[in-house]
Amino acid sequence: MFNTLKKASLVLLIASTTLVQFSCKNDDPEAEKTGNWYRQGLPSFGGSARTGAVSFVIGDVGYIGTGYTNETVPRVKDLWAYNAKSKIWTQAAPFIGSGRNGATAFVLDGKAYVGTGYDAVFATDNGYKKDFYQYDPTGNKWKAVADFPGTRQYATSFVSNNRAYVGLGFNGSNYYQDFYEYNPATDKWTEIATFIGGKRAGALSFTVGGKTYVGFGKSNSTAYTRDLYSFDPAGNNGTGAWTRVVYSDSNTDEADFPTRGYATAVVVNEKAYIIGGEGKSDVWEYVPGTNQWTEMAPFADGSRGFAASFSIANVAYFGTGSSSGSGGLDDFWAFDPTAPVNDDDNL
């Protein structure tokens, strides 16, 4: 009888242990993802709710401006500066072009350049813009620079080797695959190698380790894409060379990677973070050196595209935008990719 009791107790102990292990297992796939989204202690965006704004960083100050709002004149020209240390938004000199959404922006030599986009003034190029302007934060002034060679909105821009590059986009009837280089010393645009990923709008770009990457977006078949390309400005005798990033060399199969358009990308500690997109809330970390993708904690307030973003002092900031491009928001969030998720910070 003693042996029978021992066996019964052993079975009960094993069953109990199995039950405890099963009960303690966390079946929430989000629980294993890192990166903390928070808005506690942060002000909302200083301007009105909007979507399709431009954003950029000069020094340690982030800027958000232009975009589509619910105001009487919906496409606006205002520009707001965010001081991450004081956590204060200050209104800067307004954009001197027409109010617009879907413009693009880049920074060269401490000055910002903003152009293209859509202003709904149909008498001129059906509302699609090609004008460009320079913003100098030192004097808080704007001035016109050379027009971009073509009208469009949702173009993609980046900077490499003290030159800026702008391309892709949509003008109401056509999607584009061209790219142009801007030389600030001569104030001229020069066409470079055509993007080899095909026509698209709402693509994203980021630069890590001195190399620029462009990808994702909505193709001319209106399908969202997942491909990514690196750009070498010295390739093809200085006209630039595009190379497709091979996902099979990474830890992620391209066929399994989510497609997206109108997402944003920020760089923190030499890693790129791709955030959301139209109808998307997921966040992915990309390390070019090892070609590794890691899914992070998703954006804490649901799907979000057409948003503004920038990074300051190893923190990414993200706000405005909407899920579908209409009905913009004025919230403002921070993302620390190294911190564990803390839902209490979302209040």
Side-chain angles (χ1 to χ4, degrees), residues 54-56 58 63-66 76-80 91-98 100 103-106 111-115 131-145:
V54 296
S55 55
F56 52 88
I58 301 177
Y63 294 83
I64 297 177
T66 67
V76 294
K77 305 165 62 170
D78 57 341
L79 178 68
W80 293 81
Q91 191 162 9
F95 179 64
I96 60 173
S98 58
R100 64 192 66 189
T104 193
F106 57 83
K111 299 178 178 67
Y113 295 78
V114 177
D131 49 340
F132 248 91
Y133 303 86
Q134 179 200 84
Y135 173 70
D136 184 349
T138 303
N140 192 29
K141 293 181 179 180
W142 290 89
K143 73 173 185 179
V145 295

Side-chain angles (χ1 to χ4, degrees), residues 83 139 167 177 215 240 259 276 285-286 317 321 336:
N83 185 312
Q177 61 186 351
T259 60
E285 175 189 86
Y286 180 61
Y317 294 92
D336 182 347

Side-chain angles (χ1 to χ4, degrees), residues 219-254:
S219 73
N220 60 336
S221 66
T222 72
Y224 291 119
T225 60
R226 58 169 65 90
D227 47 345
L228 185 67
Y229 301 81
S230 64
F231 177 71
D232 177 9
N236 291 329
N237 296 317
T239 62
W242 296 96
T243 303
R244 184 165 182 164
V245 174
V246 181
Y247 281 54
S248 61
D249 292 340
S250 74
N251 58 336
T252 302
D253 292 331
E254 183 169 354

Side-chain angles (χ1 to χ4, degrees), residues 138-215:
T138 303
N140 192 29
K141 293 181 179 180
W142 290 89
K143 73 173 185 179
V145 295
D147 286 352
F148 181 72
T151 61
R152 65 196 65 187
Q153 71 173 158
Y154 298 121
T156 300
S157 60
F158 59 88
V159 171
S160 180
N161 292 345
N162 204 38
R163 300 286 175 88
Y165 299 86
V166 177
L168 311 180
F170 174 73
N171 77 344
S173 58
N174 296 312
Y175 286 81
Y176 291 97
Q177 61 186 351
D178 55 350
F179 260 93
Y180 292 82
E181 176 189 87
Y182 177 71
N183 184 340
T186 60
D187 191 29
K188 290 184 178 180
W189 296 91
T190 303
E191 189 167 11
I192 61 163
T194 301
F195 180 65
I196 63 174
K199 300 175 180 179
R200 66 185 69 190
L204 56 79
S205 67
F206 57 86
T207 300
V208 177
K211 181 175 285 189
T212 296
Y213 298 81
V214 173

